[in-house]
Amino acid sequence: MDNENKFGEVNEEDVKLASEAAPEDIKEKPPVDLKNEILEWCESFVFAMFIVILIFTFFFRIVKVEGESMTDTLQDKDRLIMTHLNYTPEKDDIVVINSTFLNKTIIKRVIGTEGDHVTVDYNSNTVTVNGEKIADEHIKEVMFDTGLFDPSYKTSEGVYEYDVPEDYIFVMGDNRNGSKDSRYIGFVEEDSVLGKAVFRLFPFNAFGSVD
């Protein structure tokens, strides 16, 4: 070895010089400060939670389905994500409404918006908007006239017609025979719409978008 003399002895001065010349990356690293490490993790967690709170305050909210008025599309106690930023109701959207008539939050489907003419015909089990039959793939079962609907909109036996006013919408539940909607509570003000339901969080076997 270079640091050994001819008698096999190590020169202490050479060893000292070699140690002083050792590169930084092979020198002993300082011990980890566990306290600072924990503080950094806590700061990261608090920051992440702050971002989540901001997102759900200004962009999304979680709402719970109560009742069976939207079956089979939605079920009682489903948990949904609702978006409400710059939202304007559109036909076929599933919306969350603050109903002053029922004094609770309800979830329905938008059938018509301002200026639309909606006809609900129980004889043919159809709903038309401006003369066009809307899709019925979401509907739970054949409709029947419960006799609870406002008779002022009844134009003939089993037929009701509605003209949606400005700044209002007409909504119905997909479970037409088990829903208190615009046929019962009247037109809904757009300002009463809290947002659009876009995603189902629970139950996990139905996890995904809603339409």
Side-chain angles (χ1 to χ4, degrees), residues 90-93 109-113 116 118 120 127-129 134 139 164 169-174 176:
E90 296 182 2
K91 293 183 186 69
D92 207 41
D93 286 353
R109 188 181 297 277
V110 178
I111 302 300
T113 57
D116 285 335
V118 179
V120 182
V127 176
T128 60
V129 179
I134 66 172
I139 308 310
V164 186
I169 59 175
F170 185 93
V171 299
M172 297 178 74
D174 288 351
R176 298 283 168 79

Side-chain angles (χ1 to χ4, degrees), residues 146-157:
T146 63
L148 297 176
F149 311 133
D150 189 337
S152 64
Y153 294 100
K154 193 171 186 177
T155 55
S156 61
E157 190 62 36

Side-chain angles (χ1 to χ4, degrees), residues 18-30:
S19 176
E20 291 176 350
E24 292 295 327
D25 59 353
I26 65 173
K27 288 183 178 180
E28 185 178 354
K29 294 182 178 180

Side-chain angles (χ1 to χ4, degrees), residues 6-89:
K6 62 182 178 178
F7 300 106
E9 296 177 348
V10 177
N11 188 314
E12 293 182 0
E13 185 176 350
D14 290 342
V15 171
K16 182 179 179 181
L17 290 173
S19 176
E20 291 176 350
E24 292 295 327
D25 59 353
I26 65 173
K27 288 183 178 180
E28 185 178 354
K29 294 182 178 180
V32 176
D33 189 331
L34 185 59
K35 182 178 179 180
N36 286 339
E37 190 80 8
I38 293 175
L39 284 175
E40 288 179 3
W41 275 101
C42 288
E43 288 176 358
S44 298
F45 177 76
V46 170
F47 180 74
M49 290 302 297
F50 178 71
I51 295 299
V52 169
I53 291 171
L54 282 179
I55 289 173
F56 277 89
T57 299
F58 295 103
F59 296 95
F60 303 102
R61 284 177 58 186
I62 296 177
V63 295
K64 182 175 75 170
V65 177
E66 295 184 358
E68 300 179 349
S69 69
M70 283 297 292
T71 56
D72 293 325
T73 305
L74 303 174
Q75 306 297 327
D76 184 35
K77 296 185 173 55
D78 281 359
R79 298 299 197 282
L80 311 175
I81 289 180
M82 175 194 79
T83 179
H84 54 86
L85 184 66
N86 295 326
Y87 173 67
T88 300

Side-chain angles (χ1 to χ4, degrees), residues 125-210:
N125 188 41
T126 60
V127 176
T128 60
V129 179
N130 303 325
E132 294 185 9
K133 179 178 177 295
I134 66 172
D136 58 4
E137 66 268 20
H138 304 295
I139 308 310
K140 178 178 174 62
E141 59 190 2
V142 174
M143 297 185 301
F144 58 82
D145 188 347
T146 63
L148 297 176
F149 311 133
D150 189 337
S152 64
Y153 294 100
K154 193 171 186 177
T155 55
S156 61
E157 190 62 36
V159 180
Y160 294 74
E161 298 188 32
Y162 310 84
D163 289 302
V164 186
E166 185 178 1
D167 297 326
Y168 283 81
I169 59 175
F170 185 93
V171 299
M172 297 178 74
D174 288 351
N175 180 10
R176 298 283 168 79
N177 297 323
S179 174
K180 288 184 177 179
D181 46 44
S182 287
R183 298 168 296 171
Y184 179 80
I185 66 175
F187 303 110
V188 174
E189 288 184 273
E190 289 187 359
D191 289 344
S192 297
V193 178
L194 302 178
K196 175 184 176 182
V198 294
F199 202 85
R200 178 164 25 203
L201 291 175
F202 182 85
F204 300 123
N205 62 353
F207 186 85
S209 60
V210 296

